[in-house]
Short mmCIF file of all heavy atoms in Angstrom, two decimals:
data_model
loop_
_atom_site.label_atom_id
_atom_site.label_comp_id
_atom_site.label_asym_id
_atom_site.label_seq_id
_atom_site.Cartn_x
_atom_site.Cartn_y
_atom_site.Cartn_z
N ALA A 1 0.84 -1.20 0.00
CA ALA A 1 0.00 0.00 0.00
C ALA A 1 0.87 1.24 0.00
O ALA A 1 2.07 1.19 0.29
CB ALA A 1 -0.92 0.00 1.23
N PHE A 2 0.25 2.36 -0.32
CA PHE A 2 0.89 3.65 -0.14
C PHE A 2 0.75 4.07 1.32
O PHE A 2 -0.27 3.79 1.96
CB PHE A 2 0.26 4.71 -1.04
CG PHE A 2 0.63 4.59 -2.49
CD1 PHE A 2 -0.34 4.35 -3.46
CD2 PHE A 2 1.95 4.72 -2.91
CE1 PHE A 2 -0.02 4.23 -4.80
CE2 PHE A 2 2.29 4.61 -4.25
CZ PHE A 2 1.31 4.36 -5.20
N ARG A 3 1.75 4.75 1.83
CA ARG A 3 1.70 5.26 3.21
C ARG A 3 0.83 6.52 3.22
O ARG A 3 1.31 7.64 3.01
CB ARG A 3 3.11 5.58 3.71
CG ARG A 3 3.16 5.98 5.20
CD ARG A 3 4.57 6.42 5.59
NE ARG A 3 5.52 5.33 5.50
CZ ARG A 3 5.72 4.44 6.47
NH1 ARG A 3 5.04 4.52 7.59
NH2 ARG A 3 6.62 3.48 6.30
N THR A 4 -0.43 6.35 3.47
CA THR A 4 -1.35 7.49 3.46
C THR A 4 -2.52 7.22 4.39
O THR A 4 -2.93 6.07 4.60
CB THR A 4 -1.86 7.76 2.02
OG1 THR A 4 -2.66 8.94 2.00
CG2 THR A 4 -2.68 6.60 1.49
N GLY A 5 -3.06 8.29 4.96
CA GLY A 5 -4.26 8.18 5.78
C GLY A 5 -4.08 7.23 6.95
O GLY A 5 -3.07 7.21 7.65
N GLY A 6 -5.13 6.41 7.17
CA GLY A 6 -5.15 5.50 8.30
C GLY A 6 -4.53 4.14 8.03
O GLY A 6 -4.54 3.27 8.91
N ILE A 7 -3.98 3.93 6.84
CA ILE A 7 -3.41 2.62 6.50
C ILE A 7 -2.31 2.18 7.46
O ILE A 7 -2.27 1.01 7.87
CB ILE A 7 -2.93 2.63 5.03
CG1 ILE A 7 -4.14 2.63 4.09
CG2 ILE A 7 -2.03 1.43 4.73
CD1 ILE A 7 -3.81 2.79 2.62
N PRO A 8 -1.40 3.08 7.90
CA PRO A 8 -0.36 2.63 8.83
C PRO A 8 -0.87 2.14 10.19
O PRO A 8 -0.11 1.56 10.96
CB PRO A 8 0.51 3.89 9.00
CG PRO A 8 0.34 4.64 7.73
CD PRO A 8 -1.12 4.44 7.39
N ASP A 9 -2.16 2.36 10.50
CA ASP A 9 -2.71 1.81 11.74
C ASP A 9 -2.70 0.29 11.72
O ASP A 9 -2.56 -0.35 12.76
CB ASP A 9 -4.15 2.31 11.97
CG ASP A 9 -4.19 3.68 12.61
OD1 ASP A 9 -3.20 4.42 12.50
OD2 ASP A 9 -5.22 4.02 13.23
N TRP A 10 -2.92 -0.29 10.53
CA TRP A 10 -2.97 -1.76 10.45
C TRP A 10 -1.82 -2.36 9.65
O TRP A 10 -1.52 -3.53 9.79
CB TRP A 10 -4.30 -2.23 9.87
CG TRP A 10 -4.74 -1.58 8.59
CD1 TRP A 10 -5.59 -0.51 8.46
CD2 TRP A 10 -4.38 -1.95 7.26
NE1 TRP A 10 -5.77 -0.19 7.13
CE2 TRP A 10 -5.04 -1.05 6.38
CE3 TRP A 10 -3.56 -2.95 6.74
CZ2 TRP A 10 -4.91 -1.13 5.00
CZ3 TRP A 10 -3.41 -3.03 5.35
CH2 TRP A 10 -4.08 -2.13 4.50
N LEU A 11 -1.15 -1.57 8.80
CA LEU A 11 -0.05 -2.09 8.01
C LEU A 11 1.26 -1.57 8.57
O LEU A 11 1.56 -0.38 8.47
CB LEU A 11 -0.20 -1.68 6.53
CG LEU A 11 0.55 -2.55 5.51
CD1 LEU A 11 0.13 -2.22 4.09
CD2 LEU A 11 2.06 -2.43 5.62
N VAL A 12 2.02 -2.47 9.17
CA VAL A 12 3.34 -2.12 9.69
C VAL A 12 4.37 -2.56 8.65
O VAL A 12 4.48 -3.75 8.32
CB VAL A 12 3.61 -2.82 11.04
CG1 VAL A 12 4.99 -2.45 11.56
CG2 VAL A 12 2.53 -2.42 12.05
N ASN A 13 5.11 -1.61 8.13
CA ASN A 13 6.06 -1.90 7.05
C ASN A 13 7.05 -2.98 7.45
O ASN A 13 7.63 -2.94 8.55
CB ASN A 13 6.81 -0.62 6.66
CG ASN A 13 7.60 -0.78 5.39
OD1 ASN A 13 7.14 -1.39 4.43
ND2 ASN A 13 8.81 -0.24 5.37
N GLU A 14 7.23 -3.96 6.58
CA GLU A 14 8.15 -5.09 6.76
C GLU A 14 7.67 -6.10 7.82
O GLU A 14 8.33 -7.10 8.05
CB GLU A 14 9.58 -4.63 7.13
CG GLU A 14 10.23 -3.75 6.08
CD GLU A 14 10.73 -4.53 4.86
OE1 GLU A 14 10.70 -5.77 4.90
OE2 GLU A 14 11.15 -3.87 3.88
N GLU A 15 6.50 -5.84 8.44
CA GLU A 15 5.97 -6.79 9.40
C GLU A 15 4.82 -7.59 8.80
O GLU A 15 4.84 -8.82 8.80
CB GLU A 15 5.49 -6.10 10.67
CG GLU A 15 4.91 -7.07 11.69
CD GLU A 15 4.41 -6.39 12.95
OE1 GLU A 15 5.13 -5.52 13.47
OE2 GLU A 15 3.30 -6.73 13.41
N ASN A 16 3.77 -6.91 8.29
CA ASN A 16 2.66 -7.62 7.67
C ASN A 16 2.37 -7.11 6.25
O ASN A 16 1.36 -7.46 5.65
CB ASN A 16 1.39 -7.52 8.52
CG ASN A 16 0.91 -6.09 8.66
OD1 ASN A 16 1.68 -5.19 8.98
ND2 ASN A 16 -0.38 -5.86 8.44
N GLY A 17 3.28 -6.31 5.73
CA GLY A 17 3.12 -5.79 4.38
C GLY A 17 4.24 -4.81 4.07
O GLY A 17 5.19 -4.67 4.84
N LEU A 18 4.10 -4.14 2.95
CA LEU A 18 5.11 -3.18 2.51
C LEU A 18 4.44 -1.86 2.19
O LEU A 18 3.40 -1.83 1.51
CB LEU A 18 5.85 -3.71 1.29
CG LEU A 18 6.60 -5.04 1.48
CD1 LEU A 18 7.14 -5.55 0.14
CD2 LEU A 18 7.73 -4.90 2.50
N LEU A 19 5.03 -0.78 2.66
CA LEU A 19 4.51 0.57 2.43
C LEU A 19 5.44 1.32 1.49
O LEU A 19 6.67 1.26 1.63
CB LEU A 19 4.40 1.34 3.74
CG LEU A 19 3.23 0.98 4.67
CD1 LEU A 19 3.43 1.63 6.03
CD2 LEU A 19 1.90 1.38 4.05
N ALA A 20 4.83 2.04 0.54
CA ALA A 20 5.59 2.90 -0.37
C ALA A 20 5.18 4.34 -0.11
O ALA A 20 4.05 4.60 0.30
CB ALA A 20 5.31 2.53 -1.83
N PRO A 21 6.08 5.30 -0.34
CA PRO A 21 5.69 6.71 -0.17
C PRO A 21 4.49 7.04 -1.04
O PRO A 21 4.35 6.53 -2.15
CB PRO A 21 6.94 7.48 -0.62
CG PRO A 21 8.06 6.51 -0.44
CD PRO A 21 7.49 5.15 -0.73
N SER A 22 3.60 7.87 -0.52
CA SER A 22 2.36 8.21 -1.22
C SER A 22 2.63 8.69 -2.64
O SER A 22 3.51 9.55 -2.86
CB SER A 22 1.62 9.30 -0.43
OG SER A 22 0.42 9.64 -1.07
N LEU A 23 1.93 8.12 -3.59
CA LEU A 23 1.94 8.48 -5.02
C LEU A 23 3.24 8.12 -5.74
O LEU A 23 3.39 8.43 -6.92
CB LEU A 23 1.66 9.98 -5.21
CG LEU A 23 0.38 10.53 -4.56
CD1 LEU A 23 0.24 12.03 -4.86
CD2 LEU A 23 -0.85 9.79 -5.05
N ASP A 24 4.18 7.46 -5.07
CA ASP A 24 5.45 7.09 -5.69
C ASP A 24 5.29 5.75 -6.42
O ASP A 24 5.43 4.68 -5.83
CB ASP A 24 6.54 7.00 -4.61
CG ASP A 24 7.94 6.83 -5.19
OD1 ASP A 24 8.06 6.29 -6.31
OD2 ASP A 24 8.91 7.22 -4.51
N VAL A 25 5.01 5.83 -7.71
CA VAL A 25 4.70 4.64 -8.50
C VAL A 25 5.90 3.70 -8.59
O VAL A 25 5.75 2.47 -8.49
CB VAL A 25 4.21 5.04 -9.91
CG1 VAL A 25 4.11 3.82 -10.82
CG2 VAL A 25 2.86 5.74 -9.82
#
C-alpha cells in the first residue's frame, strides 16, 4: 500500500506488508 491516511494503523512496514511513499509509482 501507499503510506497514506489510516493505512499505517494496520499495516506495519516489513511486518505484515510493505509501504511505499504516497503516489510514488
Side-chain angles (χ1 to χ4, degrees):
F2 286 118
R3 186 186 295 275
T4 185
I7 288 174
D9 277 22
W10 50 264
L11 202 169
V12 179
N13 191 41
E14 299 284 352
E15 179 181 315
N16 63 311
L18 300 172
L19 284 168
S22 181
L23 306 181
D24 189 333
V25 170

